[in-house]
Amino acid sequence: MLKDILDNNENYQPGLSIDCVILGFHDNQLKVLLIKVERANKWSLPGGFIPVDQDIDTAAITVLNSRTGVDGVFLRQFATFGKVNRNNQHFDKKTLEYLQIEEEKGKWLTRRFVTIGYYALVDFSKILPNPAGKLELVEWIDHKEVPELILDHREILDKALDTLRIELNLMPIGYNLLPEKFTIPELQKLYETILDKKLDRRNFLRKITNIGILTKLDEKKSNVAHKAPNLYSFDKDKYEEVLKNGLNQGW
Amino acid sequence: MLKDILDNNENYQPGLSIDCVILGFHDNQLKVLLIKVERANKWSLPGGFIPVDQDIDTAAITVLNSRTGVDGVFLRQFATFGKVNRNNQHFDKKTLEYLQIEEEKGKWLTRRFVTIGYYALVDFSKILPNPAGKLELVEWIDHKEVPELILDHREILDKALDTLRIELNLMPIGYNLLPEKFTIPELQKLYETILDKKLDRRNFLRKITNIGILTKLDEKKSNVAHKAPNLYSFDKDKYEEVLKNGLNQGW
DNA sequence: CATTAATGTGTTATTATGACGCAATGTACT
DNA sequence: AGTACATTGCGTCATAATAACACATTAATG
C-alpha cells in the first residue's frame, strides 16, 4: 500500500499526513483504536496520506477507513503537528531497504511530514477493527495502558485528550460513546474517565439532567449486582440543539 | 521574494503554508493586520511558506516577521485549512506570467496548498506595520470593515475570531491587547467587541475583578469627557496563574 | 451652576454549586 | 428467611454566582 502511494505520489499531498485518535468507551474504560506496525514493533494511531483531490476533512475519513475499515464517524480536527525532527527516525535507510523502496522514491517519505490530527468519539460496540493489510493489527487499547507509540503519536493522543477535556465543558458528550440505553452511573464514569477525577454522584445527576438532553426510560438495567439503576437515553433533538448553542455561556 | 523561494524550493515545505491573524485593539475597535497584494488588488492575511528546518510554530514567527516586521508576539495555532480548491485560482497561468515564473517551477505553487492558521493578540501601539517588499502595504484594518480577502482568508479570519470567543470563556485576555494602564470600560469594550454583544457594566466589573487579575491604581484617566474612570493594570503573576489553570472549571 | 453623560457602588431575587444525610433496592452470605 | 452490604434515588442546606436594576458621584460643557 505504501508502495502504491509512492508509485503514484503525484496523487498525494507531499509532506503532509493525517492521524486519527479514535476513542471508544467499554467496560467503564476509555479505549483508543491503535494499529500495530509489525516492522517497527510499535503501535501507532491510524493515519495516512492525503489525496490531492480531497478536502483534508474528507481525506481524514478516507485515511481512517483505509487503515481500519471504520466508517461513518464524525472526525474533528484538533491540531497540526510539525516539529522538524518528528519523523526523521521513522523512514530511515534501513526501513526503506526493508520495504524495498528505491532511494529516489524514498525521498518523498524521508522529508519532514507535518501531520493533521483528527479525533472522533465512537460507539465501541459498533466498531469492528478490521485491518487493511494482513501485516497490520487493529485493536482497542485501554487509554491507561497505551504502549510506546511511533513518532510523536503519544503527543498527538495527549493533545486529543486535552481537547476532549475542554470540549467537555463546552458541549455534551456521550451520544456516540455510549449504547442507546445507558445508566447515569455509566455516563458519570465516562466523564470521570475523561476528566480523570471523581465526581459527586448526586451533584452529577442534578447537573446532567438539568442540561435537558436525557430521557428517563421506564426500564431498569438487569443482571447487575446491588440496586438496579434506571436506564436513560439521549434526546437526540435536544442534544443537537445544545451542541449548537454550547453549554456555558461564560459571558 | 517569491522567486527566491521557488529557486530554493527544496528549502521549503511543499504544499504547506502558514497564515497569521494578528489582532489589536485601538479606538475601542478590534483591528486586524492585513497586507495589500498589489497584483491581485486584494488584501490578505500575512502568510508564507515553511522552512524545512523549522518547527511549524517557529516558522509561524518567521513568516509573520518576514511579511510585516512584527516580532516578539505569542502565536497560537488554531486550525488548518485544506479544501481542494482553496488556492486553484490564486497562482493561475496569468499570475505566473505576471510574476515571470517559469511553468515548471510554477508547479510548486499551483498545486493545492494546505495552510495552518495562527493567531495572536498584540498591543496595537507597539506594532509598527513595516512591509517587507515595497510593493506591499501592511495596515491595521477595523475588523468590521475588512474588505474582500484572497483565497479563503475570510474563512480563516472568521475561524480565528470564533476560537477567540471560545478562549474568552476559558482564559483571561487583554494583557497583550491593552496598554499597561487601562480603564474597566475599555476592557469591557474589548470583551463586547470580541463577543459582539453588550454586557452590563456593573456585572462586568464584579465578574472581572473577582477573577483577581486586576490591580486598581491610585490614578484616574485624564482628559476625558464626563466622570474620569479609574485606571487599572494587570497583575502579571496572577494573570499567568489564571492562564495556566483556566477560568471555569465546568465539571 | 444646572445639564449631561459617563462612572462607582449597592440591592435584591433567582439560580447554580458543593457537601452532605438517609431511605430504597437488589445481591450475597449465614 | 433474615441480615449485611454496596449501590442507587431523592432530598437538604449553606454558600456562591448571576441577572436585573436603583441611585449617588464625577467632570466637562454651555
Side-chain angles (χ1 to χ4, degrees):
Chain A
M1 195 196 84
L2 194 53
K3 291 201 75 172
D4 291 348
I5 290 176
L6 285 176
D7 287 339
N8 303 286
N9 71 38
E10 285 289 322
N11 297 335
Y12 291 87
Q13 202 76 16
L16 250 193
S17 62
I18 281 174
D19 285 300
C20 302
V21 177
I22 308 300
L23 300 169
F25 197 64
H26 188 65
D27 282 340
N28 277 340
Q29 294 293 339
L30 200 62
K31 309 279 186 181
V32 192
L33 199 62
L34 295 179
I35 293 180
K36 179 78 173 282
V37 182
E38 281 304 335
R39 101 186 99 90
N41 198 32
K42 283 186 191 170
W43 293 80
S44 81
L45 297 171
F49 299 114
I50 303 174
V52 290
D53 61 350
Q54 290 186 9
D55 292 348
I56 55 173
D57 290 354
T58 308
I61 298 169
T62 304
V63 161
L64 176 63
N65 183 257
S66 73
R67 292 300 294 278
T68 66
V70 170
D71 212 342
V73 306
F74 177 64
L75 283 160
R76 198 177 162 76
Q77 187 196 119
F78 63 94
T80 296
F81 303 82
K83 293 234 176 82
V84 166
N85 298 322
R86 66 175 296 271
N87 63 313
N88 66 358
Q89 283 162 16
H90 192 53
F91 288 113
D92 56 10
K93 274 192 179 174
K94 247 188 184 167
T95 308
L96 292 181
E97 275 172 28
Y98 172 90
L99 294 169
Q100 296 170 32
I101 291 169
E102 305 150 31
E103 195 176 330
E104 187 52 33
K105 280 184 184 166
K107 278 189 183 167
W108 199 84
L109 283 175
T110 51
R111 287 174 301 197
R112 182 252 303 264
F113 270 80
V114 171
T115 199
I116 308 171
Y118 281 80
Y119 81 90
L121 309 178
V122 305
D123 185 345
F124 179 90
S125 65
K126 287 189 184 153
I127 302 294
L128 298 176
N130 170 25
K134 287 188 178 132
L135 286 172
E136 293 189 318
L137 192 64
V138 181
E139 265 185 28
W140 284 110
I141 309 278
D142 193 302
H143 91 291
K144 288 276 191 191
E145 293 162 14
V146 169
E148 190 182 351
L149 302 178
I150 61 166
L151 302 173
D152 52 0
H153 283 200
R154 159 61 71 174
E155 184 188 338
I156 296 173
L157 170 59
D158 288 343
K159 180 77 177 177
L161 291 172
D162 282 345
T163 306
L164 182 56
R165 273 185 273 271
I166 291 171
E167 286 279 308
L168 212 55
N169 292 327
L170 303 171
M171 297 293 167
I173 65 147
Y175 188 78
N176 299 309
L177 284 166
L178 293 174
E180 198 179 343
K181 298 173 181 181
F182 54 90
T183 69
I184 298 289
E186 280 167 0
L187 184 56
Q188 182 178 340
K189 275 274 159 48
L190 172 57
Y191 273 72
E192 288 180 340
T193 305
I194 293 172
L195 294 169
D196 196 26
K197 74 175 174 190
K198 280 263 160 211
L199 301 173
D200 183 274
R201 268 187 324 116
R202 297 149 286 189
N203 294 334
F204 180 80
L205 172 66
R206 187 181 41 197
K207 201 163 168 180
I208 204 81
T209 49
N210 273 345
I211 297 174
I213 54 175
L214 297 180
T215 307
K216 188 173 182 174
L217 303 176
D218 194 19
E219 196 176 347
K220 286 179 192 305
K221 181 133 185 165
S222 53
N223 291 325
V224 289
H226 315 297
K227 180 171 180 176
N230 219 304
L231 285 170
Y232 287 77
S233 68
F234 285 108
D235 181 328
K236 179 93 192 266
D237 290 345
K238 299 219 177 119
Y239 191 94
E240 297 290 345
E241 198 184 313
V242 176
L243 268 186
K244 235 190 269 171
N245 302 327
L247 280 179
N248 299 330
Q249 305 296 23
W251 293 97
Chain B
M1 193 196 84
L2 196 54
K3 290 199 77 172
D4 291 348
I5 291 177
L6 286 176
D7 287 339
N8 302 288
N9 72 37
E10 284 289 323
N11 297 336
Y12 291 88
Q13 202 75 14
L16 248 192
S17 62
I18 281 175
D19 285 299
C20 302
V21 177
I22 308 301
L23 300 169
F25 197 62
H26 188 64
D27 282 341
N28 277 340
Q29 294 293 337
L30 200 62
K31 310 280 185 181
V32 192
L33 199 63
L34 295 179
I35 293 180
K36 180 78 172 283
V37 181
E38 281 304 333
R39 102 187 99 87
N41 199 32
K42 282 186 192 170
W43 292 81
S44 82
L45 296 171
F49 299 113
I50 303 174
V52 291
D53 61 351
Q54 291 186 8
D55 291 351
I56 55 172
D57 290 355
T58 308
I61 298 170
T62 305
V63 162
L64 176 63
N65 183 257
S66 73
R67 292 301 294 279
T68 66
V70 171
D71 211 342
V73 306
F74 178 62
L75 284 160
R76 199 178 161 75
Q77 187 197 117
F78 63 93
T80 296
F81 303 82
K83 294 233 176 84
V84 165
N85 299 322
R86 67 175 295 273
N87 63 313
N88 66 357
Q89 283 162 16
H90 192 52
F91 289 114
D92 55 11
K93 274 193 179 172
K94 247 187 186 167
T95 308
L96 291 182
E97 276 172 27
Y98 172 90
L99 293 170
Q100 297 171 31
I101 291 168
E102 303 150 32
E103 196 175 331
E104 187 53 31
K105 280 185 182 167
K107 277 190 182 166
W108 200 84
L109 284 175
T110 50
R111 285 174 303 197
R112 182 253 303 263
F113 270 79
V114 171
T115 199
I116 309 171
Y118 281 80
Y119 81 90
L121 309 178
V122 305
D123 185 344
F124 179 89
S125 65
K126 286 190 185 153
I127 302 294
L128 297 176
N130 171 25
K134 287 188 179 131
L135 286 172
E136 292 187 320
L137 191 64
V138 182
E139 266 184 28
W140 284 110
I141 308 276
D142 193 302
H143 92 291
K144 288 277 190 189
E145 293 162 13
V146 169
E148 191 183 351
L149 302 178
I150 62 167
L151 302 174
D152 53 358
H153 283 199
R154 159 61 71 172
E155 185 188 337
I156 297 173
L157 171 58
D158 288 344
K159 180 76 177 177
L161 291 172
D162 281 346
T163 306
L164 182 56
R165 273 185 272 273
I166 291 171
E167 286 280 309
L168 213 56
N169 292 328
L170 303 171
M171 296 295 166
I173 65 147
Y175 188 78
N176 298 310
L177 283 167
L178 294 174
E180 198 181 343
K181 298 174 180 181
F182 54 91
T183 69
I184 298 290
E186 280 167 0
L187 184 56
Q188 182 178 339
K189 274 275 159 44
L190 172 58
Y191 273 73
E192 288 181 340
T193 305
I194 293 171
L195 294 169
D196 197 26
K197 74 175 174 190
K198 280 260 160 215
L199 301 173
D200 183 276
R201 269 187 324 117
R202 297 149 287 191
N203 293 335
F204 179 80
L205 172 67
R206 181 158 32 89
K207 201 163 166 180
I208 205 79
T209 49
N210 272 346
I211 297 174
I213 54 174
L214 296 181
T215 308
K216 188 173 182 173
L217 303 175
D218 193 18
E219 197 176 346
K220 285 179 192 304
K221 181 134 184 166
S222 52
N223 292 324
V224 290
H226 316 298
K227 179 169 181 177
N230 218 305
L231 285 170
Y232 286 77
S233 68
F234 286 108
D235 182 327
K236 178 95 192 265
D237 290 345
K238 300 225 177 108
Y239 191 95
E240 297 290 344
E241 198 185 313
V242 176
L243 269 185
K244 235 190 269 172
N245 302 328
L247 281 179
N248 300 330
Q249 304 297 21
W251 294 95

